[in-house]
Amino acid sequence: KNAEVPIIVAVNKIDKPGAMPDRVIAQLPEQGLIPEAFGGQVIVCPVSAVTGEGVPHLLEMILLQAGILNLTADPNGKLEGVVIEAKLEKGRGPVATVLIQEGTLKISDALVVGKTYGRMKAMTNYLGERINSAGPSTPLRTSPKKIFLKSIG
C-alpha cells in the first residue's frame, strides 16, 4: 500500500466449515483496502489452497492486472530474482525457491546476494524436473553453492 502499487487480496481457506470470507472482505476497509465490490480498487479473490477453488480466477485477475499495467520482463536483461525460501536439505546442501524477475538464470552462473556469492549447480522446475535455464516469471528450486539474488557476471 505504501508503495502505491495495485493490490490483489486472496482470501484463503474458503473450503473450511464455518468459513466467512464475506466477513473478512468486509474488514479490509479497516486496513485501508477498499474492495472493488465496495467501489474501491482492490481486487479480492476467495480461494482454497486445498481444493483449488478460486485459484483460476485469482490467476486470471493477476494476468488482467499485469496486462493493464503493461508489466513486462526482459529475458535478455541483467539477471535479477527473488529468493522466496531457502533451507539446507540433507544430501543436497543449500536449496532455494526462486522467482526470476529479469534476465535468464543458467547453470554455472556466478551470483551474489549481499556479501555472499557462489555459482549455480542445479535447477529444477515446479514439477521437480531438471532444467538448464530459467527466464522471467519462472519458479524454480536451485542448489547454489551459496544463496543469491542478483547476477555478478
Side-chain angles (χ1 to χ4, degrees):
K1 186 175 151 190
N2 289 341
E4 297 179 9
V5 295
I7 296 174
I8 299 175
V9 175
V11 179
N12 195 13
K13 300 187 187 271
I14 62 168
D15 59 312
K16 287 229 177 225
M20 300 171 63
D22 293 335
R23 192 179 103 211
V24 173
I25 293 167
Q27 292 174 344
L28 288 174
E30 296 171 15
Q31 303 300 317
L33 302 172
I34 312 299
E36 285 181 324
F38 299 173
Q41 301 271 332
V42 177
I43 298 170
V44 178
C45 299
V47 298
S48 168
V50 174
T51 66
E53 180 184 352
V55 173
H57 181 252
L58 173 62
L59 294 173
E60 188 178 316
M61 292 296 101
I62 292 170
L63 288 173
L64 177 66
Q65 195 73 292
I68 290 169
L69 296 172
N70 195 26
L71 299 178
T72 58
D74 181 6
N76 299 316
K78 187 172 179 171
L79 177 64
E80 196 168 323
V82 175
V83 175
I84 312 268
E85 171 188 46
K87 61 185 174 185
L88 284 173
E89 279 190 7
K90 211 173 203 176
R92 288 187 74 191
V95 174
T97 302
V98 177
L99 184 58
I100 304 301
Q101 294 174 312
E102 292 278 339
T104 301
L105 177 64
K106 297 178 214 81
I107 299 292
S108 80
D109 277 354
L111 306 157
V112 67
V113 61
K115 296 177 181 177
T116 305
Y117 62 92
R119 290 203 176 270
M120 187 55 49
K121 291 192 317 187
M123 295 187 288
T124 57
N125 64 13
Y126 68 98
L127 297 172
E129 304 164 337
R130 287 193 83 122
I131 57 175
N132 293 321
S133 66
S137 78
T138 303
L140 64 121
R141 293 197 57 163
T142 67
S143 290
K145 291 185 181 174
K146 301 278 185 177
I147 305 304
F148 72 93
L149 184 56
K150 292 190 179 195
S151 171
I152 59 172

